[in-house]
Amino acid sequence: MADLIPTLDDEGLANLRANAQRLESSDVARQAEQASALLPLIDAELAERLSRVPPKAPPKPRAKKVVALAEADDDDES
């Protein structure tokens, strides 16, 4: 199962992590052990994926709208 972790998409990895967390508290010792062994691998893969996401660019400043008051004043003077 550990070999499959890098091949999972983000949704599949999140689902696997949720299942591993649930099984970690299982009454079945084998399931709990396997889940405990997988969680660090899953977390490492998630951290690796987050580190590869480029940082968000700061928002570009918006151009201020210039109100056409000057034109309105020119029209009134005619």
Side-chain angles (χ1 to χ4, degrees), residues 68-78:
L69 291 179
E71 287 181 21
D73 288 341
D74 290 341
D75 291 341
D76 291 342
E77 292 177 8
S78 302

Side-chain angles (χ1 to χ4, degrees), residues 53-59:
V53 174
K56 290 184 179 180

Side-chain angles (χ1 to χ4, degrees), residues 42-73:
I42 295 169
D43 289 340
E45 179 65 24
L46 287 170
E48 172 65 27
R49 290 181 187 194
L50 284 175
S51 72
R52 288 185 293 196
V53 174
K56 290 184 179 180
K60 294 181 181 178
R62 292 183 175 177
K64 293 183 180 180
K65 293 182 181 178
V66 178
V67 180
L69 291 179
E71 287 181 21
D73 288 341

Side-chain angles (χ1 to χ4, degrees), residues 18-65:
N19 288 336
Q21 280 185 307
R22 180 178 51 80
L23 290 174
E24 190 175 34
S25 60
S26 173
D27 291 335
V28 180
R30 183 173 177 208
Q31 286 179 339
E33 289 171 12
Q34 289 175 343
S36 293
L38 282 178
L39 278 170
L41 301 174
I42 295 169
D43 289 340
E45 179 65 24
L46 287 170
E48 172 65 27
R49 290 181 187 194
L50 284 175
S51 72
R52 288 185 293 196
V53 174
K56 290 184 179 180
K60 294 181 181 178
R62 292 183 175 177
K64 293 183 180 180
K65 293 182 181 178

